[in-house]
Amino acid sequence: MSNNFLSSLNDSQKNAAQHIDGSLLILAGAGSGKTKTITTRLAYLISIGIDPASILTLTFTNKAATEMRDRAYSLIDPSMVNTPPLLCTFHKFGLLLLKFYMSELDRKNNFIIIDTDDKKRILKSIDKDLPLPLLTSEISKYKNSILSPTEAKAAAQLKLYQQIADVYEKYENYLQKNNLVDFDDLLLLPYKILCKNEKLANELSEKYKYIMVDEYQDTNELQYKLLRKLCSTHNNLCVVGDDDQSIYGWRGATIRNILNFTEHFENTKVVKLEENYRSTTTILNHANQLIEHNRDRLGKTLIGTRVDGNSVKVYESSDENEETRKIVEDVKKLLLSGEKASDIAILFRVNALSRSLEEGFNKAGLSYKLVGGMKFYERAEIKDLIAYFRILTNNNDNFSLKRIINKPKRGIGKTTIDKLDAKSIETKKPIFQLLEELEPDELSQVVGKKNSRTLKVFMASVMDLKETLEESKMRFLDSFEDTFDYRSSYDNAPDGFDRQANIDEFYGYIRDYFIQHPHLGLEDFLNEIALESENSEFSDDMVSMMSIHASKGLEYKHLFIIGLEEGFFPIIGDGSDIEEERRLGYVAITRAMDNLTMSFVHSRFYKGKRASLSKSRFLSESGLIKGSLTIEKNSTYKKGDLVKHKIFGMGRVQKAVKAGKDYKLTINFSGQRRDILSSFIEKM
DNA sequence: GAGTCAGCGGTTTTT
DNA sequence: CCGCTGACTC
């Protein structure tokens, strides 16, 4: 094996890559060669004789896992490696553990993974009055804080939260009964198993002696605890992340994991990767200025390695049409000058802002791709097929059965389903079993004669299909269509063409899977795709449009960020976190390599109304425009407000006394107290 | 049970 | 403005 893979690293990168034992925190700024560093470390560990099977690398997305695997394998001489190191997403790792050790929780390992949509449907069926977004997020929070329904109930003070805890309990029972597992369970259940069986926990910890985690700033409480268990015998945990790029707080990630890493794990070595190889120094300069306004950070400044450029522009437009016109013009010029469309991207904080852009691009005849729309597996027709396949592998899956019991339409409506549900609860048997076991006249008593006949015919087809599946999984797909005519049910639908194309693609995909994995069955396929979001191919040469969240990890030579207006970016109001908004701004700016254009408008048409807007504070904070003019001068101040002074920098208000139009403020500037009039202060 | 229409609410997204 | 939900009719 060649060891010269280290030679292309800079000193800090090398320092991190050659670290062997003990905990390591790599603070990797945007564009600082993060992936290169940890893939090199992986190769390095193997090159010095550490058993690849003892190295575990965890990522968040399949995309990151694939990219890392590719890059790591290109560094390793495959002939040296017997077992490749395990490199996968957190959830995939959880799934593997559950497949092996589910019995520790007295559950069978033929469970089915449900997605967010399934979860919502189940919750809705348990309680249709409580607001669904609250329910889903609260239950997720409970699970991520390892709170059982009983504990959640005990902790609930308000009636609302008692109700939520109640639904949580029913939801958990439902999952257990149907042997379903949600995404949170893929982390929670392994954790429970490791808590329950200490011997096993130690064995696993011994097995995975070297653990690496990517994007550590996006881990949640549960992931941290799981990691703790896994490192309990060695403390060889290497995490990579950037506290300034933590943008998933709203879905449970806790930035504290990375901020407190050195306290969580003893004798941590910290390596900062601050050299940025991506952007011009001008761009970096503005990114740095912006993020400086945050308080909760470890503190790190990106150092440019590229030349300074005249590379940042601000566009001011009266409305979104003018904004679009300017961008379309710029994009046209870039393309004419020979730039590749795939080197150009437009980012926005809110997906709704893509509309006027899309119109403008269409009018101008420019092709574009909108990243992150409806996912393949979220399409109704695909979900229907998955539901069909699920009931074939898991008879307990009432939920999937109900989804397809009337698809294609066979005259079974809500009332009938309700009756079956009631009977299912009464007899404590899954609907599938009822339909199978009850004699036709018994079933008639539940749902009526006509429905009974329909359902019996339906069941006979399902059972036939099950048999075919056992005999030959390849023949099964044809039999499926022959029996249920699912594809042809879209023959005359208005959007039938697209849907049938999706169905064909899906069938093709399954066939391919069966060919690739002759020893694996339908059940394996289902669990595989549950964790998979399609990686849209980046081969098309088109201009990309996407949310800032979707842009994470990507880079573009020419970047436009639109919608820099208060309310759109940053979003303000409850549930929004200004520091996280600012990190989003930082992520957005640091996607740009050569040219960056930031755009704001005076008014925008949104939610059916035209709203007048003021420019984003981020424009002044990043030093792109002279600020203060648009900052509200007569706003009120109170204790705890974050403020900024031209000379003294950022501080927090300790006391505010009204003095005429102004306030007299006592401000704490990093330990230094000063009294300053509010007219000299910018509110953050 | 299936199709139609008013009314409501509408950050960010991966697994 | 646009898409989804739920009440209402055939």
Side-chain angles (χ1 to χ4, degrees), chain A residues 502-542:
Chain A
N502 290 333
I503 292 167
D504 293 338
E505 191 180 334
F506 191 52
Y507 287 161
Y509 190 47
I510 302 174
R511 283 207 176 83
D512 198 51
Y513 182 87
F514 285 160
I515 292 167
Q516 300 280 327
H517 310 274
H519 55 289
L520 296 179
L522 191 59
E523 191 187 314
D524 301 291
F525 173 79
L526 291 173
N527 277 336
E528 185 84 21
I529 59 170
L531 294 181
E532 196 178 287
S533 64
E534 86 255 52
N535 349 332
S536 51
E537 286 304 316
F538 278 78
S539 52
D540 311 331
D541 190 30
M542 285 191 222

Side-chain angles (χ1 to χ4, degrees), chain A residues 313 315 323-337 339 344 361 366 558-560 596-597:
Chain A
K313 270 192 299 193
Y315 276 170
E323 175 180 64
T324 297
R325 235 177 289 131
K326 287 176 182 164
I327 291 173
V328 164
E329 210 140 289
D330 278 4
V331 169
K332 273 188 187 162
K333 270 189 213 148
L334 285 169
L335 294 176
L336 271 172
S337 72
E339 294 295 325
I344 305 171
F361 269 62
L366 292 171
H558 310 284
L559 189 80
F560 298 84
L596 170 66
T597 305

Side-chain angles (χ1 to χ4, degrees), chain A residues 287-437:
Chain A
N288 281 331
Q289 281 189 58
L290 177 64
I291 201 66
E292 283 285 315
H293 288 78
N294 272 3
R295 298 183 83 239
D296 279 341
R297 58 192 297 256
L298 292 164
K300 143 177 90 14
T301 305
L302 288 180
I303 300 157
T305 59
R306 299 187 53 194
V307 286
D308 209 22
N310 187 15
S311 46
V312 183
K313 270 192 299 193
V314 176
Y315 276 170
E316 173 172 5
S317 314
S318 64
D319 60 20
E320 68 277 8
N321 298 315
E322 192 186 329
E323 175 180 64
T324 297
R325 235 177 289 131
K326 287 176 182 164
I327 291 173
V328 164
E329 210 140 289
D330 278 4
V331 169
K332 273 188 187 162
K333 270 189 213 148
L334 285 169
L335 294 176
L336 271 172
S337 72
E339 294 295 325
K340 283 201 325 214
S342 56
D343 284 332
I344 305 171
I346 307 166
L347 306 186
F348 30 76
R349 174 69 179 84
V350 180
N351 279 318
L353 297 199
S354 72
R355 181 162 286 161
S356 67
L357 278 176
E358 290 186 73
E359 269 172 35
F361 269 62
N362 285 332
K363 246 189 257 163
L366 292 171
S367 56
Y368 64 89
K369 64 175 167 184
L370 199 63
V371 180
M374 175 73 115
K375 304 277 178 351
F376 186 70
Y377 293 114
E378 287 165 9
R379 285 163 203 277
E381 59 276 19
I382 304 303
K383 296 216 66 169
D384 286 348
L385 290 176
I386 291 172
Y388 260 110
F389 300 157
R390 277 183 182 171
I391 56 165
L392 292 168
T393 55
N394 180 351
N395 299 349
N396 294 333
D397 195 347
N398 267 355
F399 169 75
S400 295
L401 181 62
K402 283 192 275 182
R403 182 179 176 111
I404 50 86
I405 201 163
N406 196 33
K407 276 174 194 168
K409 288 195 174 55
R410 46 177 80 87
I412 307 295
K414 195 178 175 304
T415 324
T416 308
I417 293 175
D418 285 347
K419 285 176 189 157
L420 288 170
D421 249 341
K423 190 77 181 173
S424 165
I425 290 164
E426 181 199 319
T427 56
K428 295 201 168 70
K429 285 178 181 171
I431 295 176
F432 190 97
Q433 205 182 334
L434 288 180
L435 296 182
E436 200 189 347
E437 287 176 2

Side-chain angles (χ1 to χ4, degrees), chain A residues 168-182:
Chain A
Y168 175 35
E169 182 168 42
K170 287 181 183 147
Y171 172 71
E172 288 294 286
N173 289 338
Y174 185 94
L175 294 190
Q176 287 235 11
K177 208 171 76 192
N178 294 285
N179 207 13
L180 303 173
V181 154
D182 69 12

Side-chain angles (χ1 to χ4, degrees), chain A residues 131-301:
Chain A
L132 204 50
L134 182 73
L135 262 184
T136 42
S137 73
E138 284 305 309
I139 288 176
S140 199
K141 270 187 213 159
Y142 290 144
K143 290 197 173 194
N144 285 309
S145 329
I146 316 161
L147 272 184
S148 70
T150 324
E151 289 165 326
K153 272 187 191 170
Q157 307 251 320
L158 287 116
K159 185 150 180 250
L160 174 67
Y161 285 88
Q162 280 174 5
Q163 288 175 314
I164 293 173
D166 228 42
V167 177
Y168 175 35
E169 182 168 42
K170 287 181 183 147
Y171 172 71
E172 288 294 286
N173 289 338
Y174 185 94
L175 294 190
Q176 287 235 11
K177 208 171 76 192
N178 294 285
N179 207 13
L180 303 173
V181 154
D182 69 12
F183 286 134
D184 296 320
D185 287 336
L186 288 175
L187 304 172
L188 177 61
L189 300 183
Y191 178 72
K192 281 188 175 166
I193 290 170
L194 296 186
C195 288
K196 206 172 164 187
N197 186 340
E198 194 140 335
K199 188 164 157 276
L200 177 64
N202 283 332
E203 272 170 34
L204 281 171
S205 179
E206 286 291 337
K207 177 172 181 192
Y208 297 110
K209 271 218 144 100
Y210 294 90
I211 301 178
M212 291 200 259
V213 181
D214 187 28
E215 306 276 20
Y216 192 68
Q217 77 282 354
D218 290 332
T219 46
N220 63 28
E221 180 77 22
L222 181 54
Q223 283 161 329
Y224 161 68
K225 289 200 163 142
L226 194 56
L227 285 172
R228 271 220 102 106
K229 283 271 169 209
L230 290 170
C231 307
S232 59
T233 65
H234 48 69
N235 210 35
N236 292 333
L237 174 65
C238 161
V239 304
V240 199
D242 181 357
D243 49 313
D244 292 330
Q245 291 189 67
S246 163
I247 56 174
Y248 286 104
W250 52 274
R251 74 172 202 221
T254 163
I255 191 171
R256 286 191 320 258
N257 280 167
I258 192 163
L259 294 179
N260 300 335
F261 185 81
T262 52
E263 288 147 43
H264 290 161
F265 297 91
E266 277 179 10
N267 301 321
T268 297
K269 172 158 133 189
V270 181
V271 177
K272 286 189 189 181
L273 305 181
E274 295 181 296
E275 274 175 66
N276 173 293
Y277 298 94
R278 179 184 292 151
S279 316
T280 66
T281 50
T282 316
I283 291 168
L284 287 183
N285 178 19
H286 293 297
N288 281 331
Q289 281 189 58
L290 177 64
I291 201 66
E292 283 285 315
H293 288 78
N294 272 3
R295 298 183 83 239
D296 279 341
R297 58 192 297 256
L298 292 164
K300 143 177 90 14
T301 305

